[in-house]
Amino acid sequence: MSSNDYSIQTRLIHHKHKTDPASGAVSVPIQPASTFHQEDLDQFGEYDYARSGNPTRHALEETFAELENGTDAFAFSSGMAAISTVFMMLSAGDHLVITDDVYGGTFRFTTEVLTRHGIEHTFVDMTKVEEVKRAIKPNTKMIHIETPSNPTMKVTPIRDIVALAKENGCLTVLDNTFMTPVLQRPLDLDVDIVVHSATKFIGGHSDVVAGLAVVKDPDLAGQIKFLQNSFGAILGPNDCWLIMRGLKTMHARMELSSKAAQNIALWLTEQPEVSKVYYPGLESHSGYNLNKSQADGPGAVLSFELADRAAVKKVVEAVKIPVFAVSLGAVESILSYPAKMSHAAMPPHEREKRGISDGLLRLSVGLEREEDLIEDLKQAFNKIDS
């Protein structure tokens, strides 16, 4: 039985790099060298300069490619470095179709950087295939998907968008940050490129900033490798080691956090202070059945709507367990305010169009006891009318 025959739960721990062949150490060695001695003038070794390749980074990239059922992965210095590098596969005159309520950093790069390079874009509700179809132009080269989307948790029909892209000769890119390969493996659904902010659930401990991109096509791998080396936004060896460490517990963390998120989402739907809950694990969610058909769970992130900014302020100042911070996907629960955090780069009118109101809070559920989290939220909600 090869390691590829194991479940992803087992493969997160048992893979080619689970031990160091030189010493038997049950951990990947950290190699900090910036350059590598060459024995031969005419033929260099596997590594020459650390921007182009590093043994610790190679171990992470090889391991993660296998987890996504891809052939090649690339580790970057942040999630935005991964996304930006992939977007730089586009050229002046090309057109990008992109999820409308995409992460704020991706929105900023699309609207303020790609436009300077003559790359056009159209934001579209990716849950509506006909709208995506109408958005495609003769010069459309890429469709960028985020599912579930951040922060309103829309679920995109991956198979339908991929089929549409193939009909029109477009690449598909999917941001899989919220789900990780534990819950969703887009390459298996014929997506071309998968990107992650590995800072989140993959690292999982709020102690490393990283990004990953994965492909299963040799030509795409060559293009991204060239861009990774050209831009140089690589992940350093110490951070690669931290991501490798985080991988070992990712399945357990995702399983426990997702279960708690499900119960907290159900509880939130019953609270009079909450007007709406966005979570694909709820049967009332428009993407509930679709998510079940393309993912192995709804994940550990949810959003909920309070009356207004004043209500948000009271809750944020009253909660004791979740940290109030930018980011998500950590062992500690993180409460975020998209209007001033993840989507601050969006102008207010653009946020409003996407349902990112001043009363919206996003909760990334961590590993605390769910009853404790619910009690904490309950006492915070009691402050709204006080």
Side-chain angles (χ1 to χ4, degrees):
M1 187 176 188
S2 71
S3 60
N4 287 337
D5 295 323
Y6 295 139
S7 67
I8 192 167
Q9 181 177 357
T10 301
R11 286 191 288 131
L12 283 164
I13 301 166
H14 297 278
H15 46 75
K16 178 181 176 181
H17 298 284
K18 72 177 183 178
T19 59
D20 174 22
S23 66
V26 190
S27 179
V28 171
I30 299 173
Q31 175 49 264
S34 62
T35 192
F36 300 82
H37 173 65
Q38 306 302 318
E39 300 286 350
D40 191 302
L41 175 65
D42 298 312
Q43 186 171 352
F44 286 4
E46 182 176 1
Y47 305 104
D48 56 9
Y49 187 63
R51 172 166 44 80
S52 304
N54 169 278
T56 313
R57 192 171 91 228
H58 177 75
L60 168 60
E61 291 175 336
E62 194 167 62
T63 299
F64 199 80
E66 291 179 359
L67 293 173
E68 283 278 17
N69 296 330
T71 56
D72 297 89
F74 305 90
F76 295 89
S77 54
S78 69
M80 277 312 305
I83 292 168
S84 302
T85 300
V86 169
F87 279 177
M88 284 292 96
M89 296 171 71
L90 297 168
S91 302
D94 289 346
H95 176 247
L96 168 72
V97 175
I98 183 167
T99 302
D100 58 356
D101 59 338
V102 74
Y103 167 61
T106 309
F107 175 90
R108 178 174 53 221
F109 191 83
T110 299
T111 57
E112 297 187 32
V113 179
L114 292 185
T115 52
R116 286 162 48 193
H117 293 274
I119 297 167
E120 304 170 11
H121 65 272
T122 301
F123 288 104
V124 63
D125 183 348
M126 205 72 69
T127 67
K128 299 174 181 176
V129 179
E130 283 304 312
E131 287 192 17
V132 180
K133 188 174 183 178
R134 286 196 294 271
I136 294 175
K137 303 177 180 181
N139 60 331
T140 302
K141 301 299 182 184
M142 183 180 288
I143 300 177
H144 180 84
I145 305 164
E146 194 178 277
T147 185
S149 64
N150 181 7
T152 56
M153 309 302 291
K154 289 180 181 177
V155 178
T156 294
I158 299 173
R159 294 179 181 88
D160 291 344
I161 301 302
V162 166
L164 191 59
K166 289 186 181 302
E167 288 173 14
N168 290 274
C170 305
L171 289 174
T172 45
V173 181
L174 193 148
D175 188 331
N176 202 30
T177 298
F178 275 23
M179 302 298 265
T180 80
V182 169
L183 297 179
Q184 187 168 266
R185 291 167 293 282
L187 293 181
D188 291 351
L189 303 177
D190 286 335
V191 168
D192 293 304
I193 305 170
V194 179
V195 292
H196 295 266
S197 172
T199 309
K200 313 304 194 295
F201 289 106
I202 294 170
H205 291 76
S206 297
D207 58 7
V208 60
V209 175
L212 289 159
V214 195
V215 298
K216 61 179 179 181
D217 177 83
D219 180 60
L220 290 178
Q223 292 182 55
I224 296 175
K225 178 66 176 175
F226 172 80
L227 291 169
Q228 182 193 44
N229 190 41
S230 298
F231 289 138
I234 56 165
L235 192 63
N238 289 280
D239 289 342
C240 287
W241 185 89
L242 284 170
I243 294 296
M244 291 283 284
R245 184 193 64 176
L247 287 177
K248 295 178 181 180
T249 60
M250 185 168 65
H251 189 279
R253 289 185 284 104
M254 289 299 295
E255 187 172 50
L256 188 58
S257 292
S258 297
K259 179 183 176 184
Q262 177 79 43
N263 292 331
I264 291 169
L266 286 168
W267 176 81
L268 284 168
T269 63
E270 300 170 351
Q271 306 315 303
E273 298 85 2
V274 177
S275 59
K276 189 166 186 179
V277 181
Y278 301 89
Y279 182 64
L282 296 174
E283 292 187 24
S284 59
H285 190 287
S286 60
Y288 173 78
N289 289 320
L290 175 59
N291 190 71
K292 287 184 71 174
S293 75
Q294 62 190 27
D296 293 334
V301 181
L302 57 92
S303 297
F304 58 94
E305 190 90 39
L306 300 177
D308 49 29
R309 188 181 186 280
V312 166
K313 181 176 173 61
K314 289 185 177 182
V315 168
V316 165
E317 292 176 353
V319 291
K320 295 180 173 61
I321 292 178
V323 296
F324 179 57
V326 176
S327 200
L328 57 96
V331 291
E332 61 276 330
S333 292
I334 301 176
L335 190 64
S336 296
Y337 187 45
K340 289 194 69 175
M341 291 180 171
S342 60
H343 290 70
M346 277 188 185
H349 69 279
E350 294 288 355
R351 291 199 301 268
E352 200 63 37
K353 281 197 303 187
R354 292 159 170 80
I356 306 170
S357 72
D358 288 344
L360 188 71
L361 281 168
R362 189 188 69 202
L363 178 65
S364 170
V365 179
L367 300 182
E368 303 92 348
R369 183 171 176 263
E370 68 185 61
E371 291 84 356
D372 292 338
L373 274 168
I374 288 173
E375 284 301 315
D376 189 34
L377 289 169
K378 187 183 297 183
Q379 66 83 24
F381 288 167
N382 288 338
K383 305 288 186 183
I384 293 175
D385 296 323
S386 62

